[in-house]
Amino acid sequence: MSEERFGEFVLVRRHEQGHVAELALDRPKAMNAVSTEMARSIGAACAALGADRDVRVVVVTSTHERAFCVGADLKERNSFSDADLVRQRPVARGAYTGVLELPVPTIAAVHGFALGGGFELALSCDLIVADATAVVGLPEVSVGVIPGGGGTQLLPRRVGAARAAELIFTARRLEAPEARELGLIDQLVEAGRDREEALALAARIAGNSPVGLRAAKRALRLGHGLDLKAGLEVEDAAWRAVAFSGDRAEGVAAFNEKRKPEWPGE
């Protein structure tokens, strides 16, 4: 396993011969509250991971024992002028869109508090694995703002418009069992096992074709919200992008030869 640090607060670890990358939020003294510097580092780490063709899956984790991420750094925000807030906005957006726009499958490993921007980082992932200690929610209206890291758009895509409205308008926090029941998280595991289970899931995913994984994610994302006819055209374009690839040829050959494929990744 290799490690690379992006700024002071973000650590990237590479597992499984580099095919699984772990983006670890590492600001334990502030329960991973996202400051301007941390947001910039998340964006930089995502840019590097997105450009790395060896990476097939990214897992977002936390080094803090009791929190995934408690959201925006409100202590920092308290010192901001209006002009400061305007200047910070694209940096903050860059962190959330950085995760959201990763071209490979992404998994959030959540324990403890995942609130506001912290939960939005998780929502930006394709899958959320949470342990029994997880507490999630979007409480932004309780401090005079709105979910601004994608929450108003990503949450209804998970749970429906009315459910998302209730959760955002009330600003309430949900413990892990209710969050799982309502679909805010995808897999609920025993306390302390979120990272381990998320990495195991990532390893299973990473065994598949990197070309296929990227194309499947692209089709899923681009097709969401389209009518069926338009969505099938998105799917067809993604199919054409992989149908003549080295990965497709290797996958068919490996199947017929009853062996594990060795993906060329192109």
Side-chain angles (χ1 to χ4, degrees), residues 1-5 11-14:
M1 181 173 67
S2 64
E3 294 187 351
E4 180 181 5
R5 187 165 287 279
L11 180 65
V12 170
R13 303 185 180 109
R14 295 173 187 273

Side-chain angles (χ1 to χ4, degrees), residues 6 21 79 90 95 102 105 118 125 131-132 155 200 204 207 221 231-232 234 250:
F6 288 80
S79 68
L102 279 166
C125 295
D131 82 356
L155 188 58
R204 291 198 297 275
R221 287 288 176 90
L232 290 173
V234 168
E250 169 62 9

